[in-house]
Amino acid sequence: VLAFMLAGLLIVAVYGQNDAQTETESEIEDLLESMKKEATVQDGKASFAQATLDMYMHKLSSLLNGLLKCHRHPGHCKTCPKPKPRPRPVHRKRWKNIGGTAYDITVSARGKMAVIGGGHFLYVGGPSPHWRRFNIKAKRLSMKREGTLFLTGFKGEIWRFSHNKLRRLPGAAWDVAVGPRDHLWVIGTNKEHGGYGIYRWHHGWRKVPGSAYDIAVDPRGHPWVCNKFHHIWRHISGGRWARMPGACIDVGIGPAGDVWVVGTNLHVYRWMGRNWKDFGGRMRRIAVGPRGPVALGHNWRSINWYHQSFI
């Protein structure tokens, strides 16, 4: 009995530091005191004392098991504080509307922005209200590092806009893309199996095998395209194409080579080397600058920027 009493007192001393267990410890001390009194019962009452002691030992064992469970598994009893659940991230809150609407958007490697805005007029600068409007109508556009713009018209015209001067280039195209190192590619107007023909500028337009609807160019000068089947293809050396996993309706590439697409579910995805990471949103078009992606909303074509700290 004395050994058991000492063991109980030792356990109480060890676990008595937790304020949340004060009530349980007081119950244990009361039980030990009662055990001590019952152990002194004499004059033929030893059997009664033994039965009482067994009852107290069983109850004490249950209390000690509860005490140990509280220490080992916080939150499983009434006295232990329950851990607060961590909120799950919501992707749509990371997209920030920076004002304005557009039909197409481009961002240079230096962060300069241009859009095809209301009435399909060209706007340069941004974000709102710092847009400068030019009396030039276009369908698609792309920007070089220093700010020179290449545009396509509604009849397939290809224009070069630099220092407030507009000059027409030979050929015809529906989409245009300039890489971070100024490699110029277009999606032509000649229909092919996957959309329209693909061309590269090298002292004139050179036909490249393949066809697509949308195009972007990485820092090495290799384009990524989306075709009419929503397949994603990447151009590799030797004039060959490698199909990438996933499906998209638009593609954009940043100056650091980071590839982003708008999926067929209108979510924005980034290529992580082996798979695509979902960044949420409901977008239609995307462009990528040094501060991250800028996308146009699906319904009202609002201009949205994704905060870089979340990438």
PDB file of all heavy atoms in Angstrom, residues 123-152:
ATOM      1  N   TYR A 123      -4.185  49.977 -75.894  1.00  0.00           N
ATOM      2  CA  TYR A 123      -3.876  50.733 -74.687  1.00  0.00           C
ATOM      3  C   TYR A 123      -2.517  50.252 -74.157  1.00  0.00           C
ATOM      4  O   TYR A 123      -2.271  49.050 -74.055  1.00  0.00           O
ATOM      5  CB  TYR A 123      -4.932  50.524 -73.608  1.00  0.00           C
ATOM      6  CG  TYR A 123      -6.276  51.143 -73.922  1.00  0.00           C
ATOM      7  CD1 TYR A 123      -7.174  50.496 -74.775  1.00  0.00           C
ATOM      8  CD2 TYR A 123      -6.660  52.357 -73.361  1.00  0.00           C
ATOM      9  CE1 TYR A 123      -8.411  51.051 -75.055  1.00  0.00           C
ATOM     10  CE2 TYR A 123      -7.893  52.914 -73.641  1.00  0.00           C
ATOM     11  CZ  TYR A 123      -8.764  52.263 -74.493  1.00  0.00           C
ATOM     12  OH  TYR A 123      -9.997  52.821 -74.771  1.00  0.00           O
ATOM     13  N   VAL A 124      -1.667  51.206 -73.798  1.00  0.00           N
ATOM     14  CA  VAL A 124      -0.325  50.892 -73.307  1.00  0.00           C
ATOM     15  C   VAL A 124      -0.127  51.585 -71.971  1.00  0.00           C
ATOM     16  O   VAL A 124      -0.592  52.714 -71.768  1.00  0.00           O
ATOM     17  CB  VAL A 124       0.765  51.339 -74.306  1.00  0.00           C
ATOM     18  CG1 VAL A 124       2.150  50.987 -73.774  1.00  0.00           C
ATOM     19  CG2 VAL A 124       0.539  50.697 -75.665  1.00  0.00           C
ATOM     20  N   GLY A 125       0.585  50.922 -71.069  1.00  0.00           N
ATOM     21  CA  GLY A 125       0.894  51.517 -69.759  1.00  0.00           C
ATOM     22  C   GLY A 125       0.361  50.658 -68.654  1.00  0.00           C
ATOM     23  O   GLY A 125       0.900  49.584 -68.367  1.00  0.00           O
ATOM     24  N   GLY A 126      -0.752  51.143 -68.057  1.00  0.00           N
ATOM     25  CA  GLY A 126      -1.450  50.389 -67.021  1.00  0.00           C
ATOM     26  C   GLY A 126      -0.634  50.276 -65.746  1.00  0.00           C
ATOM     27  O   GLY A 126       0.540  50.655 -65.699  1.00  0.00           O
ATOM     28  N   PRO A 127      -1.230  49.746 -64.676  1.00  0.00           N
ATOM     29  CA  PRO A 127      -2.672  49.437 -64.658  1.00  0.00           C
ATOM     30  C   PRO A 127      -3.531  50.681 -64.537  1.00  0.00           C
ATOM     31  O   PRO A 127      -2.999  51.786 -64.431  1.00  0.00           O
ATOM     32  CB  PRO A 127      -2.807  48.545 -63.432  1.00  0.00           C
ATOM     33  CG  PRO A 127      -1.708  48.984 -62.524  1.00  0.00           C
ATOM     34  CD  PRO A 127      -0.566  49.363 -63.425  1.00  0.00           C
ATOM     35  N   SER A 128      -4.853  50.485 -64.570  1.00  0.00           N
ATOM     36  CA  SER A 128      -5.797  51.604 -64.528  1.00  0.00           C
ATOM     37  C   SER A 128      -5.518  52.483 -63.294  1.00  0.00           C
ATOM     38  O   SER A 128      -5.220  51.968 -62.210  1.00  0.00           O
ATOM     39  CB  SER A 128      -7.231  51.058 -64.477  1.00  0.00           C
ATOM     40  OG  SER A 128      -8.156  52.115 -64.479  1.00  0.00           O
ATOM     41  N   PRO A 129      -5.552  53.834 -63.433  1.00  0.00           N
ATOM     42  CA  PRO A 129      -6.023  54.605 -64.584  1.00  0.00           C
ATOM     43  C   PRO A 129      -4.880  55.134 -65.460  1.00  0.00           C
ATOM     44  O   PRO A 129      -4.996  56.207 -66.049  1.00  0.00           O
ATOM     45  CB  PRO A 129      -6.754  55.767 -63.902  1.00  0.00           C
ATOM     46  CG  PRO A 129      -5.917  56.028 -62.685  1.00  0.00           C
ATOM     47  CD  PRO A 129      -5.353  54.687 -62.249  1.00  0.00           C
ATOM     48  N   HIS A 130      -3.789  54.421 -65.562  1.00  0.00           N
ATOM     49  CA  HIS A 130      -2.604  54.933 -66.248  1.00  0.00           C
ATOM     50  C   HIS A 130      -2.476  54.418 -67.673  1.00  0.00           C
ATOM     51  O   HIS A 130      -1.379  54.365 -68.218  1.00  0.00           O
ATOM     52  CB  HIS A 130      -1.354  54.557 -65.450  1.00  0.00           C
ATOM     53  CG  HIS A 130      -1.394  54.996 -64.016  1.00  0.00           C
ATOM     54  ND1 HIS A 130      -1.355  56.324 -63.641  1.00  0.00           N
ATOM     55  CD2 HIS A 130      -1.503  54.294 -62.871  1.00  0.00           C
ATOM     56  CE1 HIS A 130      -1.414  56.418 -62.323  1.00  0.00           C
ATOM     57  NE2 HIS A 130      -1.517  55.197 -61.830  1.00  0.00           N
ATOM     58  N   TRP A 131      -3.603  54.042 -68.295  1.00  0.00           N
ATOM     59  CA  TRP A 131      -3.558  53.561 -69.662  1.00  0.00           C
ATOM     60  C   TRP A 131      -3.485  54.736 -70.638  1.00  0.00           C
ATOM     61  O   TRP A 131      -4.142  55.758 -70.451  1.00  0.00           O
ATOM     62  CB  TRP A 131      -4.792  52.726 -69.986  1.00  0.00           C
ATOM     63  CG  TRP A 131      -4.890  51.445 -69.217  1.00  0.00           C
ATOM     64  CD1 TRP A 131      -5.756  51.145 -68.210  1.00  0.00           C
ATOM     65  CD2 TRP A 131      -4.089  50.280 -69.414  1.00  0.00           C
ATOM     66  NE1 TRP A 131      -5.548  49.876 -67.749  1.00  0.00           N
ATOM     67  CE2 TRP A 131      -4.531  49.318 -68.475  1.00  0.00           C
ATOM     68  CE3 TRP A 131      -3.043  49.959 -70.269  1.00  0.00           C
ATOM     69  CZ2 TRP A 131      -3.966  48.054 -68.389  1.00  0.00           C
ATOM     70  CZ3 TRP A 131      -2.478  48.696 -70.185  1.00  0.00           C
ATOM     71  CH2 TRP A 131      -2.939  47.765 -69.249  1.00  0.00           C
ATOM     72  N   ARG A 132      -2.712  54.534 -71.689  1.00  0.00           N
ATOM     73  CA  ARG A 132      -2.654  55.525 -72.770  1.00  0.00           C
ATOM     74  C   ARG A 132      -3.254  54.894 -74.020  1.00  0.00           C
ATOM     75  O   ARG A 132      -2.792  53.854 -74.486  1.00  0.00           O
ATOM     76  CB  ARG A 132      -1.216  55.953 -73.043  1.00  0.00           C
ATOM     77  CG  ARG A 132      -1.098  56.987 -74.157  1.00  0.00           C
ATOM     78  CD  ARG A 132       0.361  57.301 -74.454  1.00  0.00           C
ATOM     79  NE  ARG A 132       0.481  58.245 -75.553  1.00  0.00           N
ATOM     80  CZ  ARG A 132       1.643  58.593 -76.131  1.00  0.00           C
ATOM     81  NH1 ARG A 132       2.771  58.066 -75.678  1.00  0.00           N
ATOM     82  NH2 ARG A 132       1.660  59.438 -77.138  1.00  0.00           N
ATOM     83  N   ARG A 133      -4.286  55.514 -74.536  1.00  0.00           N
ATOM     84  CA  ARG A 133      -4.989  54.954 -75.691  1.00  0.00           C
ATOM     85  C   ARG A 133      -4.365  55.432 -76.992  1.00  0.00           C
ATOM     86  O   ARG A 133      -3.990  56.601 -77.139  1.00  0.00           O
ATOM     87  CB  ARG A 133      -6.463  55.331 -75.645  1.00  0.00           C
ATOM     88  CG  ARG A 133      -7.232  54.916 -76.882  1.00  0.00           C
ATOM     89  CD  ARG A 133      -8.688  55.289 -76.810  1.00  0.00           C
ATOM     90  NE  ARG A 133      -9.292  55.314 -78.141  1.00  0.00           N
ATOM     91  CZ  ARG A 133     -10.572  55.450 -78.386  1.00  0.00           C
ATOM     92  NH1 ARG A 133     -11.414  55.594 -77.374  1.00  0.00           N
ATOM     93  NH2 ARG A 133     -11.038  55.468 -79.612  1.00  0.00           N
ATOM     94  N   PHE A 134      -4.270  54.493 -77.961  1.00  0.00           N
ATOM     95  CA  PHE A 134      -3.816  54.813 -79.311  1.00  0.00           C
ATOM     96  C   PHE A 134      -4.926  54.472 -80.284  1.00  0.00           C
ATOM     97  O   PHE A 134      -5.666  53.497 -80.102  1.00  0.00           O
ATOM     98  CB  PHE A 134      -2.552  54.008 -79.669  1.00  0.00           C
ATOM     99  CG  PHE A 134      -1.342  54.398 -78.873  1.00  0.00           C
ATOM    100  CD1 PHE A 134      -1.094  53.797 -77.644  1.00  0.00           C
ATOM    101  CD2 PHE A 134      -0.464  55.369 -79.335  1.00  0.00           C
ATOM    102  CE1 PHE A 134       0.018  54.142 -76.902  1.00  0.00           C
ATOM    103  CE2 PHE A 134       0.653  55.716 -78.593  1.00  0.00           C
ATOM    104  CZ  PHE A 134       0.895  55.109 -77.373  1.00  0.00           C
ATOM    105  N   ASN A 135      -5.039  55.264 -81.332  1.00  0.00           N
ATOM    106  CA  ASN A 135      -6.109  55.080 -82.314  1.00  0.00           C
ATOM    107  C   ASN A 135      -5.737  53.958 -83.287  1.00  0.00           C
ATOM    108  O   ASN A 135      -5.678  54.145 -84.504  1.00  0.00           O
ATOM    109  CB  ASN A 135      -6.367  56.386 -83.061  1.00  0.00           C
ATOM    110  CG  ASN A 135      -7.674  56.346 -83.833  1.00  0.00           C
ATOM    111  OD1 ASN A 135      -8.608  55.626 -83.466  1.00  0.00           O
ATOM    112  ND2 ASN A 135      -7.742  57.113 -84.920  1.00  0.00           N
ATOM    113  N   ILE A 136      -5.497  52.788 -82.707  1.00  0.00           N
ATOM    114  CA  ILE A 136      -5.103  51.613 -83.483  1.00  0.00           C
ATOM    115  C   ILE A 136      -5.982  50.450 -83.024  1.00  0.00           C
ATOM    116  O   ILE A 136      -6.031  50.148 -81.834  1.00  0.00           O
ATOM    117  CB  ILE A 136      -3.613  51.257 -83.268  1.00  0.00           C
ATOM    118  CG1 ILE A 136      -2.722  52.426 -83.696  1.00  0.00           C
ATOM    119  CG2 ILE A 136      -3.247  49.980 -84.004  1.00  0.00           C
ATOM    120  CD1 ILE A 136      -1.274  52.230 -83.311  1.00  0.00           C
ATOM    121  N   LYS A 137      -6.647  49.803 -83.968  1.00  0.00           N
ATOM    122  CA  LYS A 137      -7.465  48.649 -83.636  1.00  0.00           C
ATOM    123  C   LYS A 137      -6.723  47.374 -84.004  1.00  0.00           C
ATOM    124  O   LYS A 137      -6.077  47.293 -85.056  1.00  0.00           O
ATOM    125  CB  LYS A 137      -8.811  48.699 -84.368  1.00  0.00           C
ATOM    126  CG  LYS A 137      -9.757  49.765 -83.832  1.00  0.00           C
ATOM    127  CD  LYS A 137     -11.142  49.608 -84.426  1.00  0.00           C
ATOM    128  CE  LYS A 137     -12.128  50.584 -83.806  1.00  0.00           C
ATOM    129  NZ  LYS A 137     -13.505  50.390 -84.321  1.00  0.00           N
ATOM    130  N   ALA A 138      -6.838  46.371 -83.123  1.00  0.00           N
ATOM    131  CA  ALA A 138      -6.133  45.118 -83.358  1.00  0.00           C
ATOM    132  C   ALA A 138      -6.893  43.965 -82.710  1.00  0.00           C
ATOM    133  O   ALA A 138      -7.822  44.170 -81.920  1.00  0.00           O
ATOM    134  CB  ALA A 138      -4.710  45.202 -82.813  1.00  0.00           C
ATOM    135  N   LYS A 139      -6.478  42.749 -83.056  1.00  0.00           N
ATOM    136  CA  LYS A 139      -7.095  41.544 -82.522  1.00  0.00           C
ATOM    137  C   LYS A 139      -6.211  40.866 -81.483  1.00  0.00           C
ATOM    138  O   LYS A 139      -6.653  40.490 -80.413  1.00  0.00           O
ATOM    139  CB  LYS A 139      -7.413  40.577 -83.657  1.00  0.00           C
ATOM    140  CG  LYS A 139      -8.162  39.329 -83.223  1.00  0.00           C
ATOM    141  CD  LYS A 139      -8.504  38.464 -84.432  1.00  0.00           C
ATOM    142  CE  LYS A 139      -9.275  37.218 -83.991  1.00  0.00           C
ATOM    143  NZ  LYS A 139      -9.611  36.361 -85.165  1.00  0.00           N
ATOM    144  N   ARG A 140      -4.918  40.698 -81.782  1.00  0.00           N
ATOM    145  CA  ARG A 140      -3.964  40.085 -80.868  1.00  0.00           C
ATOM    146  C   ARG A 140      -2.690  40.928 -80.851  1.00  0.00           C
ATOM    147  O   ARG A 140      -2.417  41.681 -81.795  1.00  0.00           O
ATOM    148  CB  ARG A 140      -3.643  38.636 -81.294  1.00  0.00           C
ATOM    149  CG  ARG A 140      -4.850  37.747 -81.426  1.00  0.00           C
ATOM    150  CD  ARG A 140      -5.535  37.505 -80.107  1.00  0.00           C
ATOM    151  NE  ARG A 140      -4.799  36.555 -79.301  1.00  0.00           N
ATOM    152  CZ  ARG A 140      -4.969  35.235 -79.357  1.00  0.00           C
ATOM    153  NH1 ARG A 140      -5.857  34.713 -80.201  1.00  0.00           N
ATOM    154  NH2 ARG A 140      -4.299  34.438 -78.562  1.00  0.00           N
ATOM    155  N   LEU A 141      -1.890  40.746 -79.797  1.00  0.00           N
ATOM    156  CA  LEU A 141      -0.666  41.543 -79.685  1.00  0.00           C
ATOM    157  C   LEU A 141       0.368  40.821 -78.836  1.00  0.00           C
ATOM    158  O   LEU A 141       0.053  39.938 -78.039  1.00  0.00           O
ATOM    159  CB  LEU A 141      -0.955  42.924 -79.112  1.00  0.00           C
ATOM    160  CG  LEU A 141      -1.162  43.074 -77.592  1.00  0.00           C
ATOM    161  CD1 LEU A 141      -1.188  44.548 -77.210  1.00  0.00           C
ATOM    162  CD2 LEU A 141      -2.418  42.398 -77.112  1.00  0.00           C
ATOM    163  N   SER A 142       1.630  41.250 -78.997  1.00  0.00           N
ATOM    164  CA  SER A 142       2.745  40.745 -78.196  1.00  0.00           C
ATOM    165  C   SER A 142       3.809  41.833 -78.156  1.00  0.00           C
ATOM    166  O   SER A 142       3.921  42.642 -79.091  1.00  0.00           O
ATOM    167  CB  SER A 142       3.304  39.448 -78.797  1.00  0.00           C
ATOM    168  OG  SER A 142       4.293  38.887 -77.952  1.00  0.00           O
ATOM    169  N   MET A 143       4.604  41.858 -77.074  1.00  0.00           N
ATOM    170  CA  MET A 143       5.547  42.954 -76.855  1.00  0.00           C
ATOM    171  C   MET A 143       6.970  42.450 -76.674  1.00  0.00           C
ATOM    172  O   MET A 143       7.203  41.470 -75.968  1.00  0.00           O
ATOM    173  CB  MET A 143       5.125  43.773 -75.625  1.00  0.00           C
ATOM    174  CG  MET A 143       5.932  45.054 -75.424  1.00  0.00           C
ATOM    175  SD  MET A 143       5.513  45.922 -73.883  1.00  0.00           S
ATOM    176  CE  MET A 143       3.806  46.336 -74.193  1.00  0.00           C
ATOM    177  N   LYS A 144       7.916  43.149 -77.318  1.00  0.00           N
ATOM    178  CA  LYS A 144       9.333  42.867 -77.139  1.00  0.00           C
ATOM    179  C   LYS A 144       9.819  43.437 -75.811  1.00  0.00           C
ATOM    180  O   LYS A 144       9.106  44.173 -75.125  1.00  0.00           O
ATOM    181  CB  LYS A 144      10.148  43.444 -78.293  1.00  0.00           C
ATOM    182  CG  LYS A 144       9.897  42.780 -79.633  1.00  0.00           C
ATOM    183  CD  LYS A 144      10.661  43.460 -80.751  1.00  0.00           C
ATOM    184  CE  LYS A 144      12.156  43.330 -80.599  1.00  0.00           C
ATOM    185  NZ  LYS A 144      12.886  43.867 -81.762  1.00  0.00           N
ATOM    186  N   ARG A 145      11.076  43.119 -75.471  1.00  0.00           N
ATOM    187  CA  ARG A 145      11.651  43.539 -74.198  1.00  0.00           C
ATOM    188  C   ARG A 145      11.625  45.047 -74.013  1.00  0.00           C
ATOM    189  O   ARG A 145      11.271  45.561 -72.950  1.00  0.00           O
ATOM    190  CB  ARG A 145      13.086  43.019 -74.080  1.00  0.00           C
ATOM    191  CG  ARG A 145      13.810  43.459 -72.815  1.00  0.00           C
ATOM    192  CD  ARG A 145      15.222  42.927 -72.812  1.00  0.00           C
ATOM    193  NE  ARG A 145      15.226  41.477 -72.741  1.00  0.00           N
ATOM    194  CZ  ARG A 145      15.234  40.792 -71.599  1.00  0.00           C
ATOM    195  NH1 ARG A 145      15.226  41.445 -70.432  1.00  0.00           N
ATOM    196  NH2 ARG A 145      15.256  39.483 -71.615  1.00  0.00           N
ATOM    197  N   GLU A 146      12.011  45.797 -75.051  1.00  0.00           N
ATOM    198  CA  GLU A 146      12.125  47.254 -74.899  1.00  0.00           C
ATOM    199  C   GLU A 146      10.818  47.982 -75.133  1.00  0.00           C
ATOM    200  O   GLU A 146      10.746  49.210 -74.969  1.00  0.00           O
ATOM    201  CB  GLU A 146      13.207  47.801 -75.849  1.00  0.00           C
ATOM    202  CG  GLU A 146      12.751  48.047 -77.271  1.00  0.00           C
ATOM    203  CD  GLU A 146      12.602  46.757 -78.088  1.00  0.00           C
ATOM    204  OE1 GLU A 146      12.963  45.679 -77.584  1.00  0.00           O
ATOM    205  OE2 GLU A 146      12.119  46.844 -79.230  1.00  0.00           O
ATOM    206  N   GLY A 147       9.753  47.249 -75.514  1.00  0.00           N
ATOM    207  CA  GLY A 147       8.445  47.870 -75.639  1.00  0.00           C
ATOM    208  C   GLY A 147       7.865  47.897 -77.034  1.00  0.00           C
ATOM    209  O   GLY A 147       6.726  48.340 -77.210  1.00  0.00           O
ATOM    210  N   THR A 148       8.591  47.424 -78.030  1.00  0.00           N
ATOM    211  CA  THR A 148       8.049  47.361 -79.384  1.00  0.00           C
ATOM    212  C   THR A 148       6.916  46.348 -79.446  1.00  0.00           C
ATOM    213  O   THR A 148       7.034  45.231 -78.934  1.00  0.00           O
ATOM    214  CB  THR A 148       9.147  46.975 -80.395  1.00  0.00           C
ATOM    215  OG1 THR A 148      10.158  47.977 -80.380  1.00  0.00           O
ATOM    216  CG2 THR A 148       8.575  46.868 -81.799  1.00  0.00           C
ATOM    217  N   LEU A 149       5.814  46.738 -80.065  1.00  0.00           N
ATOM    218  CA  LEU A 149       4.625  45.887 -80.142  1.00  0.00           C
ATOM    219  C   LEU A 149       4.458  45.290 -81.535  1.00  0.00           C
ATOM    220  O   LEU A 149       4.739  45.945 -82.545  1.00  0.00           O
ATOM    221  CB  LEU A 149       3.381  46.695 -79.789  1.00  0.00           C
ATOM    222  CG  LEU A 149       3.123  46.968 -78.307  1.00  0.00           C
ATOM    223  CD1 LEU A 149       2.090  48.068 -78.133  1.00  0.00           C
ATOM    224  CD2 LEU A 149       2.664  45.696 -77.605  1.00  0.00           C
ATOM    225  N   PHE A 150       3.980  44.047 -81.580  1.00  0.00           N
ATOM    226  CA  PHE A 150       3.559  43.407 -82.813  1.00  0.00           C
ATOM    227  C   PHE A 150       2.091  43.067 -82.666  1.00  0.00           C
ATOM    228  O   PHE A 150       1.673  42.483 -81.656  1.00  0.00           O
ATOM    229  CB  PHE A 150       4.387  42.151 -83.080  1.00  0.00           C
ATOM    230  CG  PHE A 150       5.823  42.432 -83.412  1.00  0.00           C
ATOM    231  CD1 PHE A 150       6.775  42.526 -82.415  1.00  0.00           C
ATOM    232  CD2 PHE A 150       6.224  42.631 -84.734  1.00  0.00           C
ATOM    233  CE1 PHE A 150       8.105  42.803 -82.715  1.00  0.00           C
ATOM    234  CE2 PHE A 150       7.547  42.905 -85.048  1.00  0.00           C
ATOM    235  CZ  PHE A 150       8.489  42.990 -84.033  1.00  0.00           C
ATOM    236  N   LEU A 151       1.290  43.430 -83.655  1.00  0.00           N
ATOM    237  CA  LEU A 151      -0.152  43.268 -83.585  1.00  0.00           C
ATOM    238  C   LEU A 151      -0.671  42.563 -84.820  1.00  0.00           C
ATOM    239  O   LEU A 151      -0.057  42.637 -85.896  1.00  0.00           O
ATOM    240  CB  LEU A 151      -0.854  44.625 -83.443  1.00  0.00           C
ATOM    241  CG  LEU A 151      -0.356  45.568 -82.344  1.00  0.00           C
ATOM    242  CD1 LEU A 151       0.538  46.643 -82.957  1.00  0.00           C
ATOM    243  CD2 LEU A 151      -1.511  46.214 -81.619  1.00  0.00           C
ATOM    244  N   THR A 152      -1.810  41.896 -84.675  1.00  0.00           N
ATOM    245  CA  THR A 152      -2.512  41.323 -85.816  1.00  0.00           C
ATOM    246  C   THR A 152      -3.883  41.975 -85.918  1.00  0.00           C
ATOM    247  O   THR A 152      -4.534  42.242 -84.907  1.00  0.00           O
ATOM    248  CB  THR A 152      -2.663  39.795 -85.682  1.00  0.00           C
ATOM    249  OG1 THR A 152      -3.421  39.496 -84.507  1.00  0.00           O
ATOM    250  CG2 THR A 152      -1.301  39.130 -85.574  1.00  0.00           C
TER     251      THR A 152
END
